[in-house]
């Protein structure tokens, strides 16, 4: 069995025998496409026999027979439709694989340049250069028939030619940590990080900036200082993906080729999602700890407020650090209480959701603080519009019967947690799930469709708490799995959904939520009961976590974050060494 990979989603091969089907299943293929009519030569297994073998091995089977040299539009349409709808990876075959690769080339013609298509098939061992006029004609025909359908490519830019071993999108918590974790395991690995900003931020510190504990300068470092030695930094924003040709398209149209791609661009703070918010941020008593520039303004407002109304808002989930909106509120209340002003300040928490915190075990401790501070909880109230100069905010309230109404609130200060979503270039890409996030397996963090793409951090589809704490555990998992895939083996490190949210309930005390998938409590230290406020957890947050972030996590020292590795499963994939050595653990 001679499998030739065209893209992470589809490979082609010469004639498969019935006995090859089980091997294909063990190599991770999910669908077989047979492009050969029955009875072309003696000894050829029939389509029915292959179908039965595929079904016995849990694979989908599709028969799109093609006569050699006579590929019709109908067959291309059928192949194209199959690729859009079936589960991948797909293994298509005919006598030599040429008909299958021809069908692929014509199927993707509306989306990819002829050059890219021909280069890709040539790399797989099929010289289809004679097909160029047909590819171009089909692309033109499809464009004419469906002008508004799909753009040919995000850029039309020229390929750079070089294919890096690993390209990482984003130099935030996820991108830097995973680069370091990979390099610790395999020094000299060819890694590129695509990151437009020249500063890296320790965002978890912004709650303490807003609470008057940290200086915002402590939360910022030059990007160049956190990019690991030996990693190439491309100072640009990624704009689109071309997973069929293993390329990322940058904003200026440049293309970067990769063997494995790691997608970690974080999420988008959607300030435009609240009418009037952008115009008034940073003035008129409107603040947010979600911005480096504004966290100090939170503390300024808190210090200056002597009486009046203070509102704190929380948008619909998912958001990064789901506890951050209430952390800002508790620290403000604690200050006002210590100053003897709390009785003169009406505090309300307007939460688009219906619960104070998603994991019930932590709610009783938080409720005690809500009561102590006299906070008015307003559930199912979503901030829709704000008028800074008039000091008014409007909320859409969803009632029990599902009907909605708008309520108006006046304020003296308001802390806004903005609505959040996947970045636009991810949402609009073939990597996204329906909600816009990078569609990855929750355990291996491997893309569900493109086996050489991984994602970690806030941009991923995994249902964990979107936190740096989660990234600390995800980075080693992705590092191991990327190296496995580069060696031609399937992923074997698994992530348990760990995330953590240190809820600053008062200055000096924290309720340390630590939990994994399904809300399972995952405390790191047996002696630290996260469901109770504790000064030890505050000490961890204030004194220990910054150096853990900067010097352990970002530098690839996997403190308390060693990945769970499943036993090695050797495969017979032609690209894989017969049985590779176990990967060394990071120090
Ligand atoms: P980020 O760290 O946001 O990095 C994304 C990077 O990608 C950025 O550098 C960005 O410039 C880059 N990028 C964006 N678009 C592109 C593009 N097109 N091309 C290339 N690069 C791009 N977590 C905790 O664990 N504990 C806490 O106490 C905590 N508190 C928080 C408090 C606040 C106020 C906030 C805002 C966050 C908090 N977090 C906390 C969450 C934590 O900061 C994030 O979950 C974490 O930073 C996510 O890492 P990431 O790499 O996915 O994204
Ligand atoms: C954590 O690991 C982490 O990332 C480094 C955070 O962000 C800074 C956190 O806020 C927390 C609470 C953790 C969890 C770490 C331990 C040791 C419990």
């Amino acid at each position: 069995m001679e499998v030739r990979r065209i893209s992470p989603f589809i490979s082609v091969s010469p004639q498969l025998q019935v006995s090859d089907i089980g091997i294909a299943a063990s190599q991770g293929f999910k669908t077989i496409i047979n492009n050969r009519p029955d009875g072309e030569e003696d000894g050829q297994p029939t389509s029915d026999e292959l179908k039965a073998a595929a079904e016995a091995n849990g694979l989908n089977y599709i028969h799109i027979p093609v006569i050699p040299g006579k590929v019709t539009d109908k067959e291309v349409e059928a192949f194209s439709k199959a690729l859009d709808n079936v589960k991948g990876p797909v293994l298509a075959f005919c006598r030599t694989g040429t008909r299958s690769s021809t069908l692929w080339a014509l199927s993707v013609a509306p989306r990819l340049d002829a050059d890219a298509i021909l280069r890709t098939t040539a790399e797989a061992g099929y010289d289809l250069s004679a097909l160029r006029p047909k590819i171009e004609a089909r692309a033109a025909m499809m464009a004419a028939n469906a002008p508004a359908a799909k753009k040919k490519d995000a850029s039309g830019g020229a390929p750079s030619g070089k294919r890096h071993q690993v390209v990482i999108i984003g130099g935030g918590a996820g991108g830097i940590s995973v680069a370091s974790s990979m390099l610790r395991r395999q020094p000299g690995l060819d890694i590129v990080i695509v990151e437009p900003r020249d500063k890296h931020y320790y965002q978890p510190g912004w709650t303490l900036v807003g609470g008057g504990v940290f200086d915002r300068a402590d939360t910022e470092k030059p990007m160049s200082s956190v990019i690991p030695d030996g990693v190439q930094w491309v100072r640009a924003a990624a704009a689109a993906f071309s997973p069929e040709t293993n390329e990322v398209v940058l904003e200026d149209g440049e293309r970067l080729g990769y063997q494995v791609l790691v997608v970690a661009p974080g999420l988008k703070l959607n300030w435009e999602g609240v009418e009037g918010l952008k115009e008034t941020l940073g003035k008129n008593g409107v603040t947010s700890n979600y911005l480096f520039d504004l966290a100090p303004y939170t503390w300024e407002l808190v210090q200056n407020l002597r009486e009046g109304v203070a509102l704190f808002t929380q948008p619909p989930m998912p958001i990064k650090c789901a506890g951050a909106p209430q952390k800002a509120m508790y620290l403000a209340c604690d200050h006002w209480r210590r100053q003897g002003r709390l009785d003169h300040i009406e505090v309300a928490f307007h939460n688009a959701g219906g619960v104070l915190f998603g994991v019930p075990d932590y709610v009783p401790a938080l409720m005690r603080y809500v009561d102590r501070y006299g906070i008015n909880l307003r559930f199912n109230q979503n901030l829709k519009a704000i008028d800074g100069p008039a000091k008014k905010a409007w909320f859409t309230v969803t009632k029990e019967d599902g009907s909605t109404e708008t309520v108006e609130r006046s304020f003296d200060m308001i802390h806004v947690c903005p609505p959040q979503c996947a970045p636009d270039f991810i949402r609009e890409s073939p990597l996204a799930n329906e909600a816009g996030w990078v569609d990855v397996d929750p355990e291996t963090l491997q893309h569900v469709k493109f086996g050489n793409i991984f994602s970690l951090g806030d941009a991923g589809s995994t249902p964990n708490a979107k936190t740096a704490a989660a990234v600390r555990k995800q980075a080693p998992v992705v590092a191991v799995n990327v190296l496995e895939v580069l060696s031609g083996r399937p992923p074997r490190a698994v992530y348990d959904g760990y995330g953590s949210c240190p809820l600053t309930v008062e200055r000096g005390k924290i309720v340390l939520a630590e939990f994994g998938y399904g809300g399972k409590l995952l405390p790191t230290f047996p002696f630290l009961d996260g469901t109770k406020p504790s000064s030890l957890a505050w000490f961890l947050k204030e004194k220990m976590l910054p150096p853990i972030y900067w010097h352990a996590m970002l530098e690839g020292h996997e403190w308390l974050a060693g990945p769970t590795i499943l036993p090695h499963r050797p495969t017979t994939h032609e690209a894989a060494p017969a049985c590779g050595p176990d990967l060394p653990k990071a120090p």
Side-chain angles (χ1 to χ4, degrees), residues 202 204 468-469 472 498 500-502 512 514 524-525 540-541 545 548-549 553 559-560:
Y202 176 60
R472 187 165 63 82
Y498 176 89
S500 174
C501 190
L512 182 61
E514 289 183 281
T524 301
F525 306 111
L540 179 79
K541 165 97 184 155
L545 283 174
I548 287 171
Y549 180 85
M553 186 172 145
W559 182 70
L560 294 173

Side-chain angles (χ1 to χ4, degrees), residues 97-138:
T98 305
R99 274 171 272 178
S100 300
S101 42
T102 301
L103 284 168
W104 175 80
L106 292 170
S107 297
V108 295
R111 284 185 285 135
L112 295 177
D113 279 338
D115 283 346
I117 294 172
L118 294 177
R119 200 175 58 244
T120 305
T121 48
E123 278 174 13
Y126 297 99
D127 178 5
L128 302 185
S129 42
L131 198 66
R132 178 184 287 275
K134 268 197 162 182
I135 294 174
E136 288 173 348
R138 183 169 166 79

Side-chain angles (χ1 to χ4, degrees), residues 274 287 290 311-315 319 324-326 329 348-352 381-383 386 393 395 414-418:
V274 176
T287 190
Y290 275 74
L311 306 182
F312 294 81
T313 75
Q314 180 170 305
I319 61 170
Q326 55 189 298
M329 176 171 69
F349 187 51
H350 291 260
N351 182 350
Q381 299 208 356
N382 195 12
L383 179 64
I386 191 160
F395 297 86
I414 182 167
H415 177 276
V416 178
C417 173

Side-chain angles (χ1 to χ4, degrees), residues 11 187 278 282 295-296 317 385 447 518:
S11 299
K278 242 187 144 174
M317 293 290 143
H447 196 274

